[in-house]
Structures are given as C-alpha cells and as structure tokens.
Amino acid sequence: MSDVPTRGPETAGSEPLLKLSGLEQVFDTGKGEVPAVGGVDLEVRPGKVLCLVGESGCGKTTTARAAAGLTKPTGGTVAFRGKDVSRMSSAERLAYRRAVQFIHQDPYAALNPTRTVFSTLTAGLRRHKQVRSKAEAREKAGELLRLVDLTPPESYLDSYPHQLSGGQRQRVNVARSLAMNPELLICDESTSMLDVSIRVSLLNTLGKLRDELDVGFLFITHDLAVAKYFAWDGEIAVMYLGKVVEHGPTPEVIGNPQHPYTKALIGAVCEPDPDLARANRAASELRSADIPSLTALPSGCAFHPRCPAYEPGLCDDAEPPLIRFGGRPAAPGAAGGRRLACHVVSRDHGRSPSDDPAESALGSGSPRGAAWSA
Ligand code: SF4
C-alpha cells in the first residue's frame, strides 16, 4: 500500500468527515409529495464505517445520493469537513467531489462497455492532469488494480468489461473511485449483486482500504449480515420510511436490538441453525407484511400497522422522537451514542435486556460467528 498517496496530518482526527443534519428529500410526483427522507442526522468519521440498513424504499439510497452531492436535498444540510456543501465555492466543491466517491450497486451498468480498464481508471486522472504521460498513467492504473487485489495488473489493464466477472468489475469500480484518493466512499448496495464468496472477498478488500488508508464509509445495505460483517467496529443506523429508528455501535444494535423493526430485520436474516431461526422469528413476528405508502404515512409511529409491540392510543397518537437510549456515553467515533425512536421501549427501558428473547437468540459475538455470514 506504500505506493498510494497517504493523507497528511490535517485529515486525521475525530471530526466528522460527513455530517448530515436534518436531511430531508421530498419528491414532487404525479401522486403528490413523497417524503423519501424525513429529517436524518448522521455522521461519518475518518476510517469509520456507518451502515445504513433497511428495506427497499426506506430512503437509504436517497440519503446516500444527497450525501454524495448527486441530488440537492429539499431540507437540512450536508456538510463535508464542517463546510455546508450547498455553500461551497466551485473550488471547494471540486475538492469535495474528489474526496467523496460513490460506488454503485450494479457492476455491469457502472462501467462503459467501450472502454478498457486502463481507460476507465485513468480518465479522471487525465482530466485533472494528475498524470503526465501514458507510461505514468499505466503505472498509476496498475497501482490502483493492486490495491483492489486484481493482480497482476497487466492481465486486466487492456480488458473490456465484458471480459471480466461481476466481482472483477466491481473491483474495477472501487479502483476507479480510489484514483481520486478519496476520504469517503459511499457504497450503495455495492456487494449485493455478487456471489457470496466474492462478496466476502470484496468486503475484505474494502476493509483493508478502511484500515490502511483511513477511508471512511457510508455503506448502504439491506442485508444485516453484511452490515454486521463490515461494520462490526462501526455503527449501524436502521431506517424505516425515511427516518432513522435505531442507531448505535454495531455490536449493540445487532447483539441487543431494541426497536421492534430492528428485531424484525434480524429475524428475517437466513439462519442455518433451526433453533436460532425459530427464536429469531418468535421475537420479531410482524402484524403485517405490507409497507405503508410514503404518500399516506400512518399516524403516530409509522411502523405501528406492522409492529408486534403496538399499543393503541400511544403508538398511533404521536410520532416517537429519535432520542438517546440507555444512558451510555457516546462511543469513540460515534455520532451520538445509541439512539432509538420507540414510545414503548423508551417507557419500558428500565427492564433487563437479558429478558429480551432476541438478545439471547442472537448473542453479541464476533461478526464472523457461526450464526451469520456475509
Ligand atoms: Fe412499535 Fe409503538 Fe415502538 Fe412504534 S412506537 S415501534 S408502534 S412499539
């Protein structure tokens, strides 16, 4: 990794790289306004991972696109290194564009089929005049391929996308994003289309970039097993219908989930052990599988039509705020310790977590434990 530019001391430290404050994204459609993201507060720090998890349509990708500057939020702010992106000068915006790279879900659509790997990897470098000759460009492209474990680079540089497997294409996508020496990678379901063994291998490569280059990650996934594997030392934020409903250090959220929706997601993870699978299901049975429309959100807690812990008169009256939970101090690199949006759990919060069947079924062991694998 020594041949890759490393960051100067000015990029180290615990200040957030990315800070989302009250982020809102409302889409105007023929069916009315769709509040895809309804006030999200999150932070990502250098070398840390924040996983956004939730079902399709919960607002993960919309949040990620706004964070990457690909869309303009209708409310709230996106700040990079303390600077509001909407108030950046064009030079600052260019630096932000280089520092924050977005890796798409589909490794097939993300690459231009008429360009070789060499051409794809060096287009940005040539545009920004960061290489002076073709020889230097090939050398740089080779370094990038080695970073993502595509070796020897000579075997790939002159290949076209159709000559590569899905996993190799996604590695080329990651290598392309590294060409700009990014500080933050935003990965939108970037491993979901890959076979399981290739997925784990790519997650390990991304983990190497996080640990050795201090790259921060906003990692979007619908798969809690992937989140557990990749963000064990980081944080998970669970989104439901455009809002964060539970957020905290990964071992706590996975090992001792509190929000009924988090429990339902965990219960839905494929579990090879039938006893654990039964316990997970018992702890998370939903009242309904139907996800409400964003154009007609339920009153009070938006999860109440599906929630197994629903209490009439309480849950359907007022929306539960996302508040600090458990009274624990914020973990290093955490945006704000553990947070939860649930009337019932907050009210009952004095009880022992060990009474909770979800906790005893899942435990809080290592991310590579026998129960789950990515
Ligand atoms: Fe379920 Fe009520 Fe909590 Fe909402 S507030 S998650 S409906 S228990």
Side-chain angles (χ1 to χ4, degrees), residues 259-261 301-304 307-311 315 320 341-345:
H259 196 282
Y261 179 60
C301 173
F303 189 53
H304 87 251
C307 181
Y310 164 64
E311 289 191 16
C315 300
C342 175
H343 292 307
V344 172
V345 177

Side-chain angles (χ1 to χ4, degrees), residues 19-367:
K19 183 168 183 173
L20 310 178
S21 305
L23 186 79
E24 291 181 4
Q25 190 78 64
V26 179
F27 295 114
D28 223 345
T29 72
K31 292 183 182 168
E33 291 194 336
V34 178
V37 178
V40 164
D41 300 299
L42 290 170
E43 295 178 4
V44 186
R45 290 162 197 268
K48 300 290 180 190
V49 179
L50 170 65
C51 262
L52 268 187
V53 303
E55 293 161 303
S56 297
C58 72
K60 310 182 296 285
T61 293
T62 306
T63 301
R65 288 178 62 79
L70 300 176
T71 53
K72 193 170 171 211
T74 49
T77 57
V78 176
F80 185 71
R81 290 204 164 281
K83 184 94 186 178
D84 183 343
V85 169
S86 68
R87 295 172 184 271
M88 284 180 171
S89 66
S90 42
E92 288 171 331
R93 198 166 175 84
L94 186 63
Y96 157 72
R97 289 271 192 200
R98 285 188 199 157
V100 178
Q101 295 287 318
F102 194 94
I103 301 175
H104 294 271
Q105 175 180 15
D106 187 349
Y108 297 88
L111 296 177
N112 184 332
T114 66
R115 284 191 166 193
T116 63
V117 170
F118 167 72
S119 173
T120 294
L121 293 184
T122 57
L125 294 170
R126 285 180 277 132
R127 192 178 318 123
H128 293 289
K129 301 197 174 15
Q130 293 189 356
V131 287
R132 282 159 298 189
S133 65
K134 188 166 181 186
E136 191 183 345
R138 277 189 85 80
E139 194 181 322
K140 178 68 185 173
E143 288 174 14
L144 292 168
L145 289 179
R146 273 190 284 274
L147 270 179
V148 296
D149 299 322
L150 285 178
T151 56
E154 298 72 34
S155 303
Y156 300 96
L157 279 174
D158 299 312
S159 300
Y160 287 89
H162 73 271
Q163 296 171 304
L164 304 174
S165 68
Q168 288 167 339
R169 288 183 208 199
Q170 199 59 302
R171 284 175 191 274
V172 171
N173 278 325
V174 175
R176 175 172 57 182
S177 72
L178 295 177
M180 292 292 115
N181 193 25
E183 297 174 54
L184 177 71
L185 287 181
I186 299 180
C187 302
D188 183 13
E189 301 275 12
S190 304
T191 61
S192 64
M193 290 181 69
L194 305 178
D195 290 339
V196 174
S197 61
I198 296 168
R199 184 183 306 163
V200 171
S201 170
L202 183 59
L203 287 172
N204 290 341
T205 299
L206 294 174
K208 197 171 67 171
L209 302 174
R210 174 198 61 208
D211 298 338
E212 297 184 13
L213 299 181
D214 218 22
V215 175
F217 280 83
L218 178 58
F219 197 89
I220 314 299
T221 180
H222 65 278
D223 187 339
L224 268 172
V226 168
K228 180 186 178 188
Y229 188 86
F230 188 61
W232 187 249
D233 296 324
E235 298 170 37
I236 286 181
V238 180
M239 285 189 77
Y240 185 72
L241 291 179
K243 301 209 166 148
V244 174
V245 295
E246 183 161 9
H247 173 215
T250 301
E252 291 187 28
V253 173
I254 296 290
N256 183 19
Q258 293 296 320
H259 196 282
Y261 179 60
T262 311
K263 292 179 183 178
L265 288 180
I266 288 174
V269 172
C270 293
E271 170 53 67
D273 181 329
D275 292 334
L276 277 180
R278 261 192 301 278
N280 290 356
R281 271 199 302 277
S284 60
E285 203 93 13
L286 292 179
R287 296 198 300 141
S288 162
D290 294 333
I291 304 174
S293 166
L294 281 165
T295 56
L297 287 171
S299 62
C301 173
F303 189 53
H304 87 251
R306 306 174 70 195
C307 181
Y310 164 64
E311 289 191 16
L314 173 66
C315 300
D316 49 7
D317 183 28
E319 184 181 339
L322 183 67
I323 52 176
R324 284 288 291 275
F325 173 78
R328 297 165 210 235
R338 192 150 185 202
R339 300 184 298 163
L340 187 79
C342 175
H343 292 307
V344 172
V345 177
S346 293
R347 185 196 62 198
D348 298 347
H349 142 70
R351 71 184 174 168
S352 163
S354 60
D355 294 339
D356 188 330
E359 184 196 20
S360 52
L362 289 164
S364 54
S366 111

